[in-house]
Amino acid sequence: MKQIYIYKRFERFWHWSQAALIIFLAITGFEVHGSFHIFGFEQAARFHRVASWALIVLIIFAIFWHFATGEWKQYLPTTNKLKEQILYYAYGMFKGEPHPTKKTELSKMNPLQRLVYLGFKLFLIPVTIISGILYMFHKTIDANDVVVVEDIPLHGIAFWHTLGAFLLMVFLVVHVYMTTTGHTPTSNIKAMLTGYEDVDDEDGEGEIKIAEKNNESKS
Ligand code: HEM
């Protein structure tokens, strides 16, 4: 077993702050929705708006980072070993079979993760954010009598926003479960905290060189 440097500093910061913001937005959002009572409606709505701006700023930085570093290529979908990966999660891993794909610095996501995260970035997050922005300006703009968002019925906006919120919660539960399917139940979470991941020795020399290179120039 050896260690390779997989998740860079900004990536880890982005990952955990995005997770914290989404969970906080879910708590305040579902309170606005009327599902439970923690902060009180007014306060929950205020917190929800502040956190949503923080998420938007964070995502703008993350988009910039993905393009500036070329990391966006990690999300290019592939069908290579996709079937093997699905079969592995469906029953292979319960029988102790080895992972069908190897994690390296240049390819840290398996084919199924690529597809799911691409959908997350291109569909789920945009639907939730765009409907959230329309929601936000629907109310403000109504008051200021600006027409743009007034034309879209509020119940339609609320529907898409709430659907996005539900799907994000489903994603969160599945995502947290999937993190436990690494070498040990906590190894993937540790990797996202420290940046380093344990991989099998037979994965080759390449990763060691990459890890050394990255140790010199951690970004
Ligand atoms: C940038 C992202 C987001 C923006 C701009 C946004 C904006 C809003 C706004 C303006 C409202 C109406 C309440 C109010 O007037 O303050 C709302 C409601 C809500 N938000 Fe968000 N939100 C965002 C992200 C999220 C996320 C990530 C979740 C959950 C994971 C979420 C869940 C909800 C829920 C459940 C409601 C109640 C919907 C209803 O019952 O009509 N929001 N959001």
Side-chain angles (χ1 to χ4, degrees):
M1 199 67 75
K2 64 172 192 272
Q3 289 202 314
I4 59 169
Y5 187 57
I6 292 238
Y7 301 115
K8 307 200 177 55
R9 203 175 299 161
F10 174 79
E11 204 169 8
R12 286 176 277 142
F13 163 77
W14 159 64
H15 174 270
W16 290 115
S17 31
Q18 175 167 278
L21 282 169
I22 288 180
I23 291 168
F24 186 66
L25 282 160
I27 294 170
T28 50
F30 281 108
E31 171 150 14
V32 169
H33 189 69
S35 308
F36 43 72
H37 180 92
I38 299 174
F39 304 109
F41 180 87
E42 292 293 323
Q43 190 79 321
R46 204 170 310 128
F47 283 160
H48 195 79
R49 283 174 185 229
V50 174
S52 68
W53 283 117
L55 183 65
I56 290 170
V57 171
L58 181 69
I59 285 177
I60 291 170
F61 274 106
I63 291 172
F64 177 76
W65 181 85
H66 275 85
F67 284 106
T69 58
E71 287 288 308
W72 64 272
K73 292 184 199 130
Q74 300 264 4
Y75 298 89
L76 287 176
T78 171
T79 49
N80 185 21
K81 298 243 174 118
L82 179 62
K83 198 174 134 212
E84 287 87 340
Q85 194 65 49
I86 293 171
L87 292 176
Y88 171 75
Y89 285 133
Y91 63 84
M93 68 178 182
F94 301 109
K95 293 199 293 180
E97 284 175 12
H99 278 263
T101 51
K102 302 270 177 244
K103 221 182 226 185
T104 71
E105 211 249 1
L106 297 174
S107 174
K108 56 192 174 209
M109 279 178 279
N110 69 49
L112 190 60
Q113 283 176 319
R114 282 174 184 244
L115 272 184
V116 172
Y117 295 159
L118 192 67
F120 178 85
K121 281 164 190 273
L122 293 185
F123 173 73
L124 198 45
I125 284 282
V127 164
T128 314
I129 290 188
I130 292 167
S131 59
I133 291 173
L134 293 177
Y135 211 148
M136 199 182 302
F137 286 102
H138 201 281
K139 291 195 167 173
T140 331
I141 285 170
D142 256 351
N144 294 329
D145 202 24
V146 179
V147 185
V148 195
V149 191
E150 220 177 20
D151 293 341
I152 307 172
L154 187 58
H155 61 86
I157 295 173
F159 169 80
W160 285 105
H161 197 61
T162 312
L163 179 68
F166 266 114
L167 292 178
L168 274 174
M169 291 304 95
V170 172
F171 172 85
L172 191 72
V173 172
V174 177
H175 182 65
V176 172
Y177 165 68
M178 294 309 262
T179 63
T180 64
T181 62
H183 280 294
T184 69
T186 54
S187 63
N188 283 337
I189 293 179
K190 264 192 227 142
M192 197 41 103
L193 284 167
T194 63
Y196 288 91
E197 170 110 23
D198 291 334
V199 293
D200 290 330
D201 281 333
E202 78 263 18
D203 286 356
E205 286 292 299
E207 290 82 4
I208 297 176
K209 290 198 186 103
I210 290 166
E212 282 163 1
K213 201 181 99 215
N214 273 296
N215 282 340
E216 286 158 21
S217 60
K218 271 190 219 165
S219 52

